Amino acid sequence: MGLGDSGIALDWSRAILATLAALCQVAIFPPVEWTALGWVALTPLFLAAPTERSWAAVAVAWLFGTLATLGLVAPWLSPALREFFGTSFLTTLLALVIVSQVAGGLPLAVLGVLLARGARLSPPARALHAAASWVAIEYVRVHVPATIPWALLGSALPPSAAPAQVADLGGVYAVSFLMALAGAAAAEAVRATWSGRRVAVSSRSSLRGGGGAVVVAIALLTATAIYGAVRRNTVTAEIASAPTLRIAIAHADLPNVRRQSPQAAPAALDRYLELSAGAADADLVVWPENAVNLLLEDNPELLARITARAGATSYLVGAPRAVPTATGAVLRTSALLVDAGGVRARYDKRQLLPFAETMPALRGAGRAVPRGFAPGEGTAVLIAGDARLGLLLCHEALFPALARAAVREGAELLVNLSNDSWFPPGAGPRQHFAFGRLRAVESRRALVRAANGGVTAIVLPDGSTPIATDGTTPGLEIAAVPRLTTLTVYTRLGDLFAWTCLIGAVAVAVVGHGRRGARGH
């Protein structure tokens, strides 16, 4: 049976399209990274979902969200759960089911409702509404408590790509909108063709059909490409004339057994000191999150090993710390700025990893591991010499608002300390890095990333990546990193674009529901 404005008639056809869209969604992210496919990855979903039968649209979107989430996270989450929590097969399976629904199935089911409400719009308006609805769901996903904004559509593009440059206007959400719009316009063109319409872009009638959606998408993408090229050249010139900070990034691939116990911590510290031996002329040496897995400030002998090496060079070290409170003390996972005089400044992680960092204790491999961390407070900016560093620990780099807040506090560059040793090699560490890269473009700040067992990299404000390791070979990366102070539109206005999409998508849904109810009477 053919495709008309009402969508696919056969339910099995909808299921096939939803599955195809999920496969495309998985393929555009690491480890496959067919990023060009991202422009039409959602086309099968948008072909199947816009129908006035809300239950059908919900079912299609739910199936897509569930399958895409499982395809993206199951290969690395299953072994990570067993390694971190020591979970059984059944517990791991249950966790995957929960994650697939919280992060994928349920949010995307809401997308199905929005798409159904916009089914009666003209094709150009329907394409715009589909893209806005996609962004609305992404924005909600980012702000749902106890979740992580994994695999936002816009993060599939390399940050150096011209379309990705619009992130400095509307954040990752603006890039997601463009990619979703391209997919929706392609769906409208296919729907018009399959229903026997002629798609002639030059004719007036085509502007009311699938061709009109294509014209709108091409116009916006062309404007985006021009803006991106100009913006990239401007920022590249700004980088060339900016003051720099010479940074050395020490990265290792220490297995968890060599970091977790107090007995192993001194050896891990010595390993990072060994890797940092060539950093004498650097202004700052950066170690990964949890490089020293004990209370460094309560172990003066170990702290003295770093201060003896530091001299005029500051060391940024990932380590937990105990913070006194009125009822005792709380643990925080932190970054400590150390120089020859000791610990000079501290940043405490604000966005804790759900469950992994919010449980009182874990027990595995015959040992108890405390994980009851408390979220940090105060500034995210540390001052090393005269440079202002905006700190992001581990998955905090996935939250645009955290990076934006640090830049508004005066950060001249962003520093992301991560420990990816819980991931198996491959998809997990590469996804973790890829999903945070756009922070550099959004904020017009260099992003310096130091990881244990993951990708160590530098992403410049124009999106170029002069340094990116594979995470498996220990070493020391040294580079002069630009310090910029320009505030982007996104830094100033925040999520205004995402809010506009959210309000627009909901408004169409409400109006569409009201009209449907009126026809029912």
Side-chain angles (χ1 to χ4, degrees), residues 35-250:
T35 54
L37 183 62
W39 296 104
V40 292
L42 295 180
T43 297
L45 173 66
F46 292 144
L47 271 172
T51 168
E52 293 187 71
R53 293 187 294 166
S54 296
W55 66 267
V58 167
V60 165
W62 172 85
L63 180 62
F64 161 79
T66 298
L67 294 179
T69 302
L70 285 174
L72 283 167
V73 308
W76 58 260
L77 183 58
S78 298
L81 288 171
R82 292 193 294 269
E83 168 77 10
F84 194 85
F85 291 104
T87 56
S88 66
F89 172 79
L90 289 178
T91 304
T92 301
L93 184 61
L94 177 61
L96 287 174
V97 170
I98 293 173
V99 169
S100 72
Q101 296 311 298
V102 173
L106 296 179
L108 269 296
V110 178
L111 174 69
V113 174
L114 296 177
L115 294 178
R117 294 290 188 262
R120 293 184 63 85
L121 296 171
S122 67
R126 190 160 56 205
L128 290 168
H129 175 253
S133 297
W134 179 270
V135 170
I137 296 302
E138 283 198 341
Y139 185 72
V140 171
R141 281 181 54 210
V142 171
H143 292 86
V144 170
T147 60
I148 300 173
W150 205 258
L152 302 184
L153 183 61
S155 61
L157 282 189
S160 59
Q165 304 298 305
V166 298
D168 77 343
L169 299 177
V172 63
Y173 309 109
V175 187
S176 292
F177 179 88
L178 289 172
M179 297 178 72
L181 177 62
E188 295 300 336
V190 171
R191 180 178 290 107
T193 301
W194 284 5
S195 63
R197 296 194 183 102
R198 293 183 177 273
V199 181
V201 171
S202 61
S203 72
R204 178 179 299 180
S205 61
S206 72
L207 294 178
R208 296 193 297 270
V214 172
V215 169
V216 170
I218 290 176
L220 283 177
L221 290 173
T222 301
T224 297
I226 295 172
Y227 173 82
V230 172
R231 189 261 181 198
R232 194 167 48 197
N233 291 338
T234 300
V235 176
T236 300
E238 189 175 349
I239 290 171
S241 61
T244 61
L245 188 71
R246 189 166 176 79
I247 295 180
I249 313 170

Side-chain angles (χ1 to χ4, degrees), residues 313-328:
T313 301
S314 297
Y315 277 64
L316 189 62
V317 179
R321 73 187 190 99
V323 179
T325 67
T327 58

Side-chain angles (χ1 to χ4, degrees), residues 38 64 83 118 146 244 314 318 356 437 452 478 513 515:
F64 161 79
E83 168 77 10
T244 61
S314 297
R437 296 177 300 180
N452 174 54
I478 302 178
H513 180 69
R515 287 177 178 173

